Amino acid sequence: MKKHIYIYTLCLTVLFSGLSFAQQTPAPKQSQAISIVGATAHIGNGQVIENATVVFENGKIVRVGASATTQTSGTVIDAKGKHVYPGFIAPNSTLGLVEVDAVRATRDQSETGSFNPHIRSLIAYNTESKVVESCRPNGILTAQITPRGGRVSGTSSIVQLDAWNWEDAAVKVDDGIHMNWPNNFSRGRWWLGEPRGLTPNKNYAKQVQTIKDGFNEVLSYLKGSKSPKHLPFEAMESLMNGSQTLFVHVNTEKGILDAIDFAKQNKLKLVIVGGYHAHKVATTLSQNNIPVLLHRTHSVPNMDDEDYDLSYKKAKILTDAGVLVGLENSGQMERMNTRNLPFLAGTVAAHGMDKEKALQLITSNTAKILGVDDRLGTLEAGKDATLFISEGDALDMRGNILTHAFIQGRTLSLETHQTRLWKRYMDKYDGK
C-alpha cells in the first residue's frame, strides 16, 4: 500500500512540475485604450510614418498618424527611438501540430491515406506548445496552421498565437485545402537499384489524371443526391464554390503550369506554395493573378547551374513581375525555425528589394493571400491591434528586440522557456 502511495505521489509531482513549464496564461482582454507615441511606424503597405502615434482600444486600431496631429487616449507608451510594426504572419506552418519530432505522440501534422480534405488541422492545434510561445518574441503573432502528407492533406486555419484553446485561437476557420502536386521528376532510390539523381517521373501524367478524375467525382457527387454521405467529398464543397482556396504545394516549372491549368478548368481560387521555379513562369502567374507563398529564403540552390543567391532574390524577381508574394518557412526543423521569419524578409531586402516591400512579404501580402487582410497585415484604423514595438529594425536580428507585443489589443508576455533559461544562466555567470 505504501509503495502505491509513493508511486502516486511521485506521478503527481512529475505532472505538476511539468505544468509549471507550460506556456504562460493568455493575456486578458484589453480593458483600456493604449497609445504608442514617438515610434517610427512601419504601416505594412510600404508607408512609413516618423514620430507616429498608434492608438487602439477594444482590440482594434482606432488612429494612426503623426504625433503632432494624432490625439492620444488611455495609457501612453513612450516609444521614441523605437519602431512599431504589424504582427508578422507565418503561412504554411505546422506550429502547434508537432512538439518534439522524435516523440511520435507529439506529432499530429498528418493523417494516413492520400485524400483527406475533411481533416481539419485546427482541432489538433496545441496552444500550450513551447515552440509556438518562442515565436512571439520575434514578432510572429499569427500563423496558418497547415496539415501535411498525402495527395490532399486537409484543411488549414489561421490562428493567433496567444490562446487558451484552438477555439480561442481561431482567426479564420478552414481557409483552404492543401494539395501536394505530383513531381514531374523523381529521385532515384539507390537502395532499389534505381539510377541516382533526378530522372523524369514516368507516372507523372497518370498521377495528374488521377487528380482530375477525383475532382470530377467530387463534382458529380455535389451535383447529385449526395447519397450515401461521403465526408471527404462534402468537405470539398466550399472549395468548389470559391469560398475556400486551393493551396497547391508544387515547385517545378511544369508542375506550376499544370496546376494553373487545372485550377482554371475547375474555376478554383489558387495559391502556389513553395514555388521553387516560380520565377521561370512569373509572367503566367501575374497574368492569372495567382499568388505565391515562396519557399524558405535561407536555402541553397537545388541545381548546379543556378545562382548562389537565387533564393535570396527570387521574391524580388516575382514581385517585379507583378506577382503577389508571401514568404513561408517549411522544411527542415520548420517549427523551430519559424521564429526566423522576419530574417527571411531581411535577407530579401539585403539582396535588392526595398525594405518596406520586403516587410510586406510577411505582413500585408501574406494577409491578402490568406484572406485576412480585412483584419491583419497593416497598421490601419479598424484592423485588429495585433502589433509590436521593437527597439530597432525588426527584419535584422540585431534590431529585432521586442519591448511590447499585442494581439487583438491584449498585452502579451514575451517570456518563454528560452528567455527563462537565458536569465537563469546569466544570473549564474553574473554571480561569479
Side-chain angles (χ1 to χ4, degrees):
M1 181 67 179
K2 289 183 178 179
K3 181 179 179 181
H4 290 161
I5 293 174
Y6 171 77
I7 293 174
Y8 180 72
T9 304
L10 179 62
C11 289
L12 285 178
T13 302
V14 171
L15 173 63
F16 286 108
S17 64
L19 290 176
S20 68
F21 291 102
Q23 186 174 155
Q24 62 262 29
T25 302
K29 187 176 179 179
Q30 183 180 8
S31 58
Q32 61 178 330
I34 296 175
S35 300
I36 300 170
V37 178
T40 298
H42 301 264
I43 305 303
N45 59 6
Q47 183 184 6
V48 177
I49 303 176
E50 301 288 348
N51 190 19
T53 292
V54 180
V55 184
F56 52 97
E57 57 183 321
N58 299 320
K60 295 289 184 180
I61 299 172
V62 293
R63 289 185 295 280
V64 179
S67 294
T69 57
T70 305
Q71 183 179 357
T72 62
S73 299
T75 300
V76 175
I77 298 174
D78 183 2
K80 186 177 181 180
K82 297 182 173 66
H83 300 256
V84 59
Y85 293 86
F88 299 151
I89 305 170
N92 186 36
S93 172
T94 51
L95 277 175
L97 300 183
V98 180
E99 191 68 6
V100 182
D101 289 297
V103 180
R104 178 65 185 89
T106 73
R107 303 200 306 262
D108 203 10
Q109 83 274 31
S110 63
E111 293 290 339
T112 57
S114 62
F115 185 70
N116 295 311
H118 57 304
I119 298 300
R120 304 173 66 224
S121 62
L122 180 62
I123 60 174
Y125 175 65
N126 174 23
T127 56
E128 295 289 339
S129 168
K130 291 180 183 177
V131 184
V132 170
E133 179 184 76
S134 72
C135 293
R136 298 198 302 256
N138 278 12
I140 298 98
L141 306 181
T142 310
Q144 180 195 39
I145 306 306
T146 305
R148 298 280 188 259
R151 184 64 70 205
V152 177
S153 305
T155 303
S156 60
S157 291
I158 317 300
V159 301
Q160 51 88 2
L161 304 186
D162 181 62
W164 287 99
N165 49 48
W166 64 262
E167 292 98 331
D168 293 339
V171 172
K172 184 176 182 180
V173 175
D174 300 337
D175 68 299
I177 289 176
H178 292 254
M179 173 190 288
N180 296 300
W181 195 260
N183 197 327
N184 54 303
F185 286 93
S186 60
R187 192 173 294 279
R189 297 169 293 180
W190 57 267
W191 59 93
L192 296 179
E194 297 176 356
R196 292 177 181 270
L198 291 175
T199 57
N201 178 8
K202 297 178 181 179
N203 295 316
Y204 176 75
K206 182 179 178 181
Q207 291 167 347
V208 172
Q209 188 59 49
T210 299
I211 292 173
K212 293 179 179 178
D213 292 343
F215 271 69
N216 287 335
E217 287 184 43
V218 173
L219 285 171
S220 297
Y221 172 84
L222 295 175
K223 291 178 181 178
S225 63
K226 298 185 180 181
S227 180
K229 193 175 185 66
H230 194 292
L231 288 179
F233 287 179
E234 292 275 346
M236 300 280 280
E237 186 166 13
S238 294
L239 179 65
M240 295 305 200
N241 65 26
S243 58
Q244 276 186 335
T245 300
L246 178 64
F247 293 87
V248 175
H249 298 240
V250 58
N251 285 300
T252 65
E253 181 179 355
K254 177 173 174 53
I256 293 170
L257 292 174
D258 288 345
I260 292 172
D261 288 339
F262 170 75
K264 289 170 68 175
Q265 290 169 10
N266 290 278
K267 299 180 181 179
L268 302 172
K269 190 189 305 181
L270 175 65
V271 172
I272 297 297
V273 181
Y276 184 83
H277 283 147
H279 63 289
K280 295 184 176 182
V281 292
T283 301
T284 303
L285 290 164
S286 177
Q287 289 173 346
N288 290 278
N289 296 315
I290 296 172
V292 175
L293 291 174
L294 197 60
H295 73 104
R296 183 181 294 180
T297 301
H298 292 171
S299 59
V300 297
N302 288 347
M303 311 297 290
D304 291 341
D305 60 349
E306 292 176 337
D307 293 347
Y308 76 93
D309 57 352
L310 177 61
S311 294
Y312 308 151
K313 61 187 182 183
K314 200 177 299 180
K316 184 179 188 302
I317 294 171
L318 287 166
T319 300
D320 289 347
V323 180
L324 182 64
V325 179
L327 298 183
E328 59 98 8
N329 197 43
S330 61
Q332 189 175 24
M333 293 186 67
E334 64 180 68
R335 289 162 295 282
M336 296 73 174
N337 277 318
T338 300
R339 71 190 74 174
N340 291 327
L341 181 68
F343 314 135
L344 303 187
T347 299
V348 172
H351 287 78
M353 180 176 276
D354 175 80
K355 182 155 284 189
E356 296 307 314
K357 285 189 175 180
L359 174 64
Q360 290 177 252
L361 299 176
I362 56 175
T363 54
S364 59
N365 284 12
T366 302
K368 290 175 184 176
I369 293 170
L370 301 184
V372 291
D373 53 309
D374 60 328
R375 296 182 57 180
L376 299 167
T378 57
L379 300 176
E380 295 180 280
K383 294 195 176 183
D384 286 1
T386 298
L387 50 94
F388 65 88
I389 303 171
S390 175
E391 289 188 5
D393 180 359
L395 303 190
D396 186 325
M397 65 180 66
R398 296 166 298 180
N400 186 301
I401 304 171
L402 271 63
T403 60
H404 299 77
F406 308 89
I407 290 180
Q408 296 167 351
R410 298 179 294 112
T411 305
L412 303 185
S413 166
L414 295 174
E415 285 291 327
T416 70
H417 182 59
Q418 286 85 356
T419 59
R420 287 190 290 270
L421 286 174
W422 167 61
K423 290 176 181 178
R424 173 184 172 188
Y425 285 98
M426 284 301 293
D427 288 343
K428 173 186 175 184
Y429 292 118
D430 286 344
K432 283 188 176 181

